[in-house]
Amino acid sequence: MMLRIYVDNREKNSGIPEILKDMGISVIIEQLDVADYVLADGVAVERKSVSDLVNSVFDKRFFDQIDRLTSAYETSFLLIEGNLNRIREITEKWKAINSALISIIVDYDVKVIYSSDKRDTAEVLVKLAEKFQEHRSKNRIINLHDKPKFESIKDIQLYVVESFPNIGEVNAKKLLEKFSTIRNICNASISDLERALGSRKRAEELYKILITPYSPQSSNSNNKKSLMDFI
């Protein structure tokens, strides 16, 4: 089966997707919330050129990106592309870069790997994809959604309610503050949901999602029932 690599659309013009395609890889361009490349289920790579690495450390983006990467994926790689000697040319504070890399290895369990150029990067990505897709089965569905590490039940509750279409963090908090539990939200009437959300349309959409029976065989025509059919 052909290897698949998911690529963030911000990497589309890097030249790497074209190299991967030339190597016979199935490249799927997606808007990834986290990471530049997803190689298998739970395996992601953040690619940084040497200059981007330095800039991201000093403008405080680096650790936020690493935190989100490791929260979303079980196995995380940082791939640094280019000549590492350039770090000392770019900044006199090169020791800060070393400290940052040591920190993510020790504190975040990130695997740091290196490549000399874009073709080398593509070859590294393919080799990793081969290893992980073989180990985790090429037929296993690759989940591109964030998988945050929850610290409390409250975080889980917010995550679940936020996942409903057109809800988001603010409305999720409104719903949980009003109804206290997810079960109560599921049992609420349209009017009750409207009072919490301040929007009749949003309340109706949520209500329909909550009370519509799941049917794996349903066709589009079956899904065109009006809301009144469920009230």
Side-chain angles (χ1 to χ4, degrees):
M1 183 175 178
M2 182 180 291
L3 285 173
R4 291 170 296 152
I5 294 180
Y6 287 83
V7 181
D8 182 61
N9 57 14
R10 288 165 293 189
E11 285 284 294
K12 187 176 181 179
N13 296 323
S14 68
I16 294 173
E18 284 68 29
I19 298 173
L20 290 171
K21 290 176 183 177
D22 289 342
M23 296 173 70
I25 306 301
S26 174
V27 174
I28 301 99
I29 305 292
E30 296 275 356
Q31 183 174 343
L32 303 179
D33 293 330
V34 183
D36 292 318
Y37 299 88
V38 176
L39 308 180
D41 191 42
V43 182
V45 176
E46 179 75 18
R47 180 184 75 93
K48 286 190 180 297
S49 67
V50 169
S51 58
D52 186 33
L53 171 66
V54 173
N55 291 334
S56 66
V57 169
F58 289 124
D59 68 14
K60 312 301 183 184
R61 288 182 292 121
F62 183 69
F63 285 103
D64 176 64
Q65 290 174 331
I66 294 299
D67 184 64
R68 291 190 296 114
L69 182 70
T70 54
S71 293
Y73 293 96
E74 178 185 348
T75 304
S76 302
F77 290 89
L78 172 65
L79 190 155
I80 303 172
E81 182 182 287
N83 186 345
L84 294 179
N85 290 329
R86 287 205 61 234
I87 295 177
R88 298 195 184 207
E89 299 172 5
I90 295 171
T91 177
E92 295 178 352
K93 300 178 180 179
W94 56 267
K95 289 185 179 180
I97 309 302
N98 285 347
S99 296
L101 294 177
I102 291 169
S103 179
I104 66 168
I105 293 170
V106 175
D107 299 333
Y108 291 88
D109 194 28
V110 172
K111 285 77 174 170
V112 179
I113 51 180
Y114 304 90
S115 70
S116 58
D117 53 30
K118 296 182 187 298
R119 176 159 291 278
D120 194 20
T121 291
E123 291 175 354
V124 169
L125 292 173
V126 170
K127 186 59 66 176
L128 287 171
E130 288 174 346
K131 292 290 185 182
F132 281 102
Q133 290 188 30
E134 178 183 359
H135 178 67
R136 302 189 179 197
S137 171
K138 294 178 184 178
N139 294 321
R140 181 172 166 181
I141 295 174
I142 297 177
N143 191 330
L144 300 179
H145 299 292
D146 291 354
K147 298 178 181 177
K149 296 176 182 177
F150 301 110
E151 297 181 358
S152 66
I153 290 179
K154 175 184 176 182
D155 291 339
I156 298 172
Q157 290 169 323
L158 280 170
Y159 181 74
V160 170
V161 180
E162 284 177 24
S163 69
F164 289 117
N166 301 317
I167 295 301
E169 181 179 359
V170 173
N171 285 318
K173 288 180 178 178
K174 289 180 180 178
L175 289 167
L176 286 167
E177 287 170 1
K178 178 173 178 58
F179 296 106
S180 182
T181 68
I182 294 174
R183 174 178 289 180
N184 289 341
I185 295 172
C186 293
N187 292 332
S189 67
I190 293 179
S191 296
D192 290 336
L193 293 172
E194 182 181 3
R195 280 191 285 271
L197 296 170
S199 167
R200 180 73 179 185
K201 181 179 179 181
R202 190 174 283 121
E204 289 178 345
E205 289 175 347
L206 178 57
Y207 183 81
K208 186 173 182 179
I209 291 169
L210 294 174
I211 58 89
T212 301
Y214 172 72
S215 175
Q217 304 300 325
S218 63
S219 63
N220 289 336
S221 60
N222 291 333
N223 290 331
K224 291 181 180 178
K225 295 179 179 180
S226 71
L227 181 64
M228 296 305 297
D229 293 325
F230 299 94
I231 299 176

